[in-house]
């Protein structure tokens, strides 16, 4: 384990070396931002909307008492969505979608000697292959999380009003009362950290693959598993640190 | 000229290369031959820095590659072209983009200048009309030729070829050998070819280094190889009945 952590840190050190040509890296960054951001928008939108709707129904079920005002459903859904559900569920979904893609892409390049070809040309392979993905991850995951927050709260409204669990006016009153903007800051810090974890852990798994197709597939699976566990651990530490 | 001095390489406790020394002259087709597992590819990878030798030196025209840091090695690597066993073309790029890639990275040429160079390199390997194809659309021989075109795009001083004939039919193998030979003589580059293809050995081998069990067993020219009394080399070169019959005529 310590060997892997050490090698991961050394890989990151190589990633942050000065790029050979900024304009080529810039094009790659734009491509990765589009791939990670636009490519995941549909999936994140669907998941967030449904999670928000289901959350509203469950909160309404658990807080079904005459002593508790219905507006609380909206405020609990808002805070849960912003602080935990949107960043963490989005990150776990992206670890599966983006992480496996990054790991298998870099792993395939490794076993087909394309990374060796880059190194022979005098190109810093970790920088060229990983840095644009890392920048794409740490910029687009927060954007996706902001969209997920909005859609989760909107999904809660749709689910709550369609099922009759809460009226539209109660829900709106709930989500607009006692709002603490700091929760957004916490969520964005989490999203930034998760974006870093998703891209670098997957890249690390792919970069050091040895063997063939089977090993690439195993690295891809390992990338998702390790990313998910790391995201959950980081979620705990960031929450403890910031709240 | 490339000189290797007492190269040793171990993986854990297993020594793969045991003190190999040789000199590879420019303008010559230098071949490293040997059976599977003899250490040919490991030696090649030690020479280009993909593996770190356990000890020994690799000298590029008086510059000790093994003692250089990352930035200094990059300068040497810009002078190296390499053809990989599996071609190692970038899947996501077209033929044209593959060849243009090192030019984009390391030169300030205009797009027109780079296109001229790409077309020149493709013309040199007889693939002029294949610019827009992706590697997946090429045959094995065409991939090798694009690999050569990419390797020569930056006008290298040193060309390394790792089993350039593997997986190719005999006719295409000869085309690739001839191409490597022509490029070597035309540009006076130091070419090192790792192979176990006996056609290549007899056809283009001006200096041949024979490895066996990670040790240097013999070196010489393709003229000398037929008349050597080295037992391991004879067993390797004349393993087939065809080559044994051909030995009489050599």
């Amino acid at each position: 384990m310590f060997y892997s952590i050490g090698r991961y840190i050394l890989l990151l050190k190589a990633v942050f070396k000065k790029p050979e040509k900024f304009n080529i890296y810039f094009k790659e960054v734009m491509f990765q931002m589009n791939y990670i951001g636009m490519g995941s928008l549909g999936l994140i939108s669907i998941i967030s909307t449904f999670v928000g709707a289901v959350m509203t129904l469950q909160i309404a079920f658990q807080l079904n008492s005459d002593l508790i005002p219905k507006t609380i459903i909206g405020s609990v859904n808002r805070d849960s969505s912003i602080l935990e559900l949107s960043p963490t569920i989005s990150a776990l979904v992206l670890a599966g979608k983006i992480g496996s893609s990054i790991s298998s892409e870099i792993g395939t390049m490794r076993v087909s000697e394309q990374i060796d070809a880059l190194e022979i040309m005098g190109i810093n392979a970790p920088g060229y292959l990983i840095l644009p993905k890392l920048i794409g991850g740490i910029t687009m995951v927060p954007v996706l999380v902001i969209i997920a927050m909005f859609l989760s709260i909107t999904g809660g409204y749709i689910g709550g009003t369609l099922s009759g669990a809460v009226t539209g006016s109660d829900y709106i009153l709930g989500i607009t009362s006692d709002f603490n903007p700091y929760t957004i800051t916490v969520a964005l810090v989490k999203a930034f950290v998760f974006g870093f974890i998703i891209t670098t852990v997957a890249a690390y798994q792919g970069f050091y693959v040895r063997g063939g197709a089977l090993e690439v597939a195993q690295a891809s699976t390992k990338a998702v598993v390790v990313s998910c566990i790391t995201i959950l651990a980081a979620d705990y530490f960031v929450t403890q640190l910031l709240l | 000229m490339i000189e290797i001095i007492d190269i040793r390489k171990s993986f854990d406790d297993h020594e793969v290369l045991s003190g190999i020394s040789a000199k590879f002259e420019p303008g010559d087709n230098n071949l490293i031959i040997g059976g599977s597992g003899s250490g040919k590819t490991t030696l090649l990878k030690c020479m280009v820095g993909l593996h770190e030798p356990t000890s020994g030196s690799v000298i590029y025209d008086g510059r000790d590659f093994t003692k250089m840091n990352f930035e200094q090695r990059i300068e040497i690597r810009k002078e190296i072209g390499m053809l990989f066993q599996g071609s190692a073309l970038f899947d996501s790029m077209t033929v044209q983009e593959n060849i243009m890639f090192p030019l984009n990275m390391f030169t300030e040429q205009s797009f027109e200048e780079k296109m001229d160079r790409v077309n020149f390199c493709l013309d040199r390997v007889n693939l002029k009309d294949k610019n827009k194809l992706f590697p997946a659309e090429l045959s094995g021989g065409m991939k090798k030729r694009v690999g050569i075109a990419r390797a020569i795009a930056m006008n290298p001083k040193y060309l390394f070829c790792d089993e350039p004939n593997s997986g190719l039919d005999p006719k295409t193998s000869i085309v690739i050998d001839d191409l490597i030979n022509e490029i070597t003589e035309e540009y006076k580059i130091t070419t090192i070819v790792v192979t176990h293809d006996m056609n290549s050995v007899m056809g283009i081998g001006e200096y041949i280094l024979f490895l066996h069990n990670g040790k240097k067993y013999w070196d010489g020219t393709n003229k000398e190889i037929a008349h050597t009394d080295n037992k391991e080399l004879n067993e390797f070169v004349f393993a087939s009945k065809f080559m044994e019959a051909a030995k009489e005529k050599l």
Side-chain angles (χ1 to χ4, degrees):
Chain A
M1 186 185 168
F2 289 113
Y3 173 76
S4 295
I5 292 171
R7 204 161 61 155
Y8 172 75
I9 291 167
L10 287 175
L11 181 67
L12 287 183
K13 193 180 158 199
V15 166
F16 290 110
K17 279 193 172 140
K18 189 185 166 199
E20 292 83 7
K21 270 275 179 75
F22 277 100
N23 60 344
I24 292 177
Y25 275 62
F26 181 75
K27 275 184 201 162
E28 275 297 306
V29 168
M30 289 297 118
F31 175 82
Q32 292 299 334
M33 286 174 75
N34 182 50
Y35 177 72
I36 293 171
M38 293 306 291
S40 310
L41 187 59
L43 183 64
I44 292 294
S45 300
I46 293 167
I47 289 171
S48 304
T49 308
F50 277 96
V51 165
V54 172
M55 273 293 292
T56 301
L57 298 184
Q58 289 185 357
I59 294 165
F61 171 73
Q62 288 184 304
L63 302 182
N64 188 15
S65 165
D66 292 336
L67 298 173
I68 302 171
K70 291 286 184 191
T71 54
I72 207 80
I73 295 170
S75 61
V76 171
N77 191 25
R78 177 199 65 204
D79 287 344
S80 306
S81 294
I82 292 174
L83 276 173
E84 183 61 22
L85 292 173
S86 295
T88 310
I89 289 183
S90 298
L92 293 174
V93 169
L94 291 171
K97 186 178 181 294
I98 305 298
S100 62
S101 160
I102 290 174
S103 176
S104 53
E105 180 194 332
I106 295 178
T108 304
M109 289 187 77
R110 168 62 75 192
V111 299
S112 61
E113 296 180 310
Q114 291 176 54
I115 293 180
D116 288 347
L118 284 173
E119 287 176 352
I120 291 292
M121 285 176 197
I123 292 161
N124 174 26
Y128 176 71
L129 293 175
I130 302 172
L131 188 61
K133 292 177 174 64
L134 173 58
I135 295 172
I138 59 177
T139 51
M140 294 317 289
V141 172
V143 172
L144 288 169
V145 166
I146 289 169
I147 294 167
M149 286 173 195
F150 174 76
L151 290 175
S152 181
I153 294 168
T154 309
Y157 176 85
I158 296 166
T161 50
L162 282 181
S163 66
V166 61
T167 63
S169 57
D170 279 347
Y171 187 83
I172 299 282
L173 187 62
I175 63 170
T176 51
S177 60
D178 298 326
F179 173 61
N180 182 357
Y182 181 64
T183 54
I184 301 276
T185 308
V186 175
L188 291 181
V189 170
K190 282 186 181 182
F192 180 86
V193 172
F194 296 161
F196 186 89
I197 290 169
I198 291 166
T199 48
T200 55
V201 169
Y204 168 79
Q205 295 295 341
F207 199 81
Y208 291 111
V209 165
R210 288 284 178 274
L214 181 66
E215 285 77 11
V216 172
Q218 285 171 342
S220 188
T221 307
K222 200 173 170 187
V224 176
V225 172
V226 175
S227 294
C228 288
I229 294 168
T230 315
I231 284 166
L232 294 172
D235 186 29
Y236 174 78
F237 287 114
V238 172
T239 307
Q240 194 181 37
L241 202 67
L242 298 180
L243 290 182
Chain B
M1 185 185 75
I2 302 173
E3 186 178 5
I4 53 173
I5 304 166
D6 197 26
I7 293 286
R8 291 175 187 275
K9 176 68 185 171
S10 300
F11 292 103
D12 297 324
D13 293 336
H14 178 55
E15 192 169 63
V16 180
L17 298 173
S18 311
I20 296 174
S21 300
K23 280 183 184 176
F24 304 102
E25 298 289 342
D28 283 354
N29 289 297
N30 302 284
L31 268 58
I32 301 173
I33 64 169
S36 299
S38 59
K40 310 184 293 291
T41 300
T42 305
L43 177 60
L44 190 80
K45 289 188 173 180
C46 285
M47 290 171 75
V48 296
L50 290 175
H51 286 330
E52 284 303 317
T54 310
S55 66
S57 301
V58 181
I59 317 283
Y60 286 85
D61 289 313
R63 298 167 293 175
D64 190 345
F65 188 71
T66 47
K67 290 193 169 57
M68 291 178 174
N69 61 27
F70 180 80
E71 282 73 22
Q72 289 168 325
R73 284 187 175 194
I74 282 180
E75 293 309 311
I76 295 273
R77 281 176 167 164
K78 286 177 190 170
E79 299 173 0
I80 293 176
M82 184 156 175
L83 174 61
F84 287 85
Q85 193 173 351
S87 302
L89 300 176
F90 304 124
D91 302 326
S92 57
M93 298 182 192
T94 62
V95 165
Q96 178 180 304
E97 288 164 344
N98 261 283
I99 299 167
M100 203 183 274
F101 185 74
L103 300 170
N104 285 336
M105 276 290 189
F106 296 114
T107 71
E108 297 300 331
Q109 294 174 359
S110 66
F111 181 76
E112 287 71 26
E113 287 171 323
K114 286 185 275 194
M115 272 309 298
D116 285 347
R117 183 66 191 161
V118 168
N119 288 331
F120 171 81
C121 293
L122 280 175
D123 193 28
R124 192 67 197 76
V125 298
N126 302 317
L127 283 175
K128 198 162 191 176
D129 55 340
K130 308 293 181 194
N131 294 45
K132 299 292 177 192
L133 294 181
F134 281 90
E137 298 170 291
L138 303 173
S139 68
M142 286 158 87
K143 282 182 188 170
K144 298 273 183 181
R145 284 191 275 164
V146 175
I148 293 173
R150 187 177 68 181
I152 63 170
M154 292 282 285
N155 275 323
K157 285 171 74 177
Y158 316 101
L159 179 64
F160 293 87
C161 304
D162 186 9
E163 308 213 4
N165 312 103
S166 69
L168 301 181
D169 63 82
K171 199 176 165 187
T172 312
S173 289
I174 292 167
V175 171
I176 298 293
D177 280 346
D178 288 345
L179 199 52
I180 292 169
N181 188 33
E182 285 166 21
I183 288 166
T184 302
E185 288 181 0
E186 203 173 318
Y187 305 112
K188 294 285 175 230
I189 53 182
T190 307
T191 299
I192 298 174
V193 181
V194 163
T195 187
H196 48 217
D197 182 81
M198 292 319 298
N199 279 330
S200 305
V201 174
M202 304 317 286
I204 63 167
E206 288 163 296
Y207 170 78
I208 299 160
L209 171 65
F210 173 65
L211 301 185
H212 182 68
N213 289 337
K215 295 187 180 80
K216 176 180 169 180
Y217 263 65
W218 183 89
D219 64 345
T221 67
N222 58 357
K223 306 270 186 315
E224 296 164 347
I225 205 165
H227 310 293
T228 175
D229 53 2
N230 186 297
K231 181 174 166 282
E232 285 77 14
L233 180 61
N234 275 317
E235 281 176 5
F236 174 75
V237 175
F238 302 107
S240 73
K241 285 179 180 165
F242 174 77
M243 285 303 293
E244 205 170 1
K247 188 179 183 181
E248 308 300 321
K249 297 173 189 169
L250 292 169

